[in-house]
Amino acid sequence: MSGKPKLYYFDGRGKMESIRWLLAAAGVEFEEEFLETREQYEKLLQGGSLLFQQVPMVEIDGMRMVQTRAILSYLAAKYNLYGKDLKERALIDMYVGGTDDLMGFILMFPFLSAEDKEKQCAFIVQKATSRYFPVYEKVLKDHGQDFLVGNNFSWADVHLLEAILMVEEKKSDVLSGFPQLQAFKARISSIPTIKKFLEPGSQRKPVPDDKYVETVRRVLRMYYDLKAN
């Protein structure tokens, strides 16, 4: 294994994108191996690298880590983005968990039919504006600090910015009723490591396209159609 973390996934967002975001936020350079064929995937399976026969998989610190949440928790702790004590860690876990729920509505969006995409887009915006964004708006307003937890930049901030940008791709003015989140977005986006990741040419992946969907379906043998919520 090389000194840099190595990420095994598709050349697209999916469950790996939040891992890319967190590494980038920590200023950590990483390598990627993109899965393009079923043979690559089966080689990882046969080699015993995929504990639960799933990707993402990350090679780091002599380990082959799987399970997205475990990887993210490890990275957050390793790079001091996980609060200063157990209470702050609990808050970060709660906020990240809520943001994960929102992201989950978006994750499978590229695999839906055109009709279901229209329904799911409205569903995503509705959930974001009625359930999730109001929580973070209130947190920021109540404590009057720059960041969600302990007035220090954390995994919770990185995850929320990623989610905000994902929802804005569905409705560009989705933050119009959330002034605290508008300021939060501008503030977090200006952090040097984040700003670099948001610039063209970074390892941030674009909105999933048909090529990404076809590759994932072929490699994972996903031959069924998904349904919107």
Side-chain angles (χ1 to χ4, degrees), residues 67-123:
Q67 292 297 319
T68 309
R69 186 59 182 262
I71 296 167
L72 288 166
S73 296
Y74 181 81
L75 295 176
K78 179 179 175 67
Y79 298 114
N80 300 312
L81 294 169
Y82 213 172
K84 69 177 185 297
D85 55 32
L86 282 175
K87 184 174 285 189
E88 289 192 357
R89 183 167 294 193
L91 287 172
I92 290 169
D93 282 339
M94 286 196 299
Y95 296 152
V96 167
T99 308
D100 263 344
D101 291 344
L102 175 57
M103 286 180 168
F105 300 135
I106 305 172
L107 185 64
M108 301 311 294
F109 185 86
F111 298 88
L112 300 173
S113 67
E115 180 182 357
D116 282 338
K117 280 182 179 179
E118 185 175 350
K119 296 176 183 176
Q120 187 71 351
C121 185
F123 179 85

Side-chain angles (χ1 to χ4, degrees), residues 33-201:
E33 180 170 318
F34 298 127
L35 301 181
E36 299 175 344
T37 66
R38 179 70 185 183
E39 289 71 28
Q40 284 177 285
Y41 181 63
E42 290 181 345
K43 184 177 179 181
L44 290 175
L45 290 174
Q46 293 163 5
S49 296
L50 305 182
L51 190 62
F52 299 106
Q53 302 179 29
Q54 296 171 316
V55 288
M57 192 264 283
V58 175
E59 289 182 349
I60 185 170
D61 295 342
M63 299 183 292
R64 289 185 173 91
M65 295 194 69
V66 296
Q67 292 297 319
T68 309
R69 186 59 182 262
I71 296 167
L72 288 166
S73 296
Y74 181 81
L75 295 176
K78 179 179 175 67
Y79 298 114
N80 300 312
L81 294 169
Y82 213 172
K84 69 177 185 297
D85 55 32
L86 282 175
K87 184 174 285 189
E88 289 192 357
R89 183 167 294 193
L91 287 172
I92 290 169
D93 282 339
M94 286 196 299
Y95 296 152
V96 167
T99 308
D100 263 344
D101 291 344
L102 175 57
M103 286 180 168
F105 300 135
I106 305 172
L107 185 64
M108 301 311 294
F109 185 86
F111 298 88
L112 300 173
S113 67
E115 180 182 357
D116 282 338
K117 280 182 179 179
E118 185 175 350
K119 296 176 183 176
Q120 187 71 351
C121 185
F123 179 85
I124 289 165
V125 171
Q126 188 271 327
K127 288 297 183 183
T129 55
S130 67
R131 178 181 293 182
Y132 299 100
F133 288 173
V135 171
Y136 303 117
E137 180 78 6
K138 185 176 187 302
V139 168
L140 292 166
K141 183 177 181 179
D142 286 353
H143 67 38
Q145 298 174 336
D146 289 344
F147 306 104
L148 286 173
V149 179
N151 205 27
N152 285 303
F153 182 47
S154 76
W155 174 21
D157 302 306
V158 179
H159 217 50
L160 179 54
L161 177 62
E162 181 188 0
I164 287 171
L165 296 181
M166 290 170 72
V167 179
E168 284 186 331
E169 289 169 350
K170 303 292 180 272
K171 189 174 189 293
S172 60
D173 64 347
V174 72
L175 291 185
S176 61
F178 302 97
Q180 296 292 332
L181 285 179
Q182 291 177 40
F184 172 87
K185 175 192 167 186
R187 194 161 54 243
I188 304 303
S189 297
S190 68
I191 292 172
T193 54
I194 298 290
K195 184 177 180 180
K196 182 178 179 181
F197 190 60
L198 292 173
E199 291 173 350

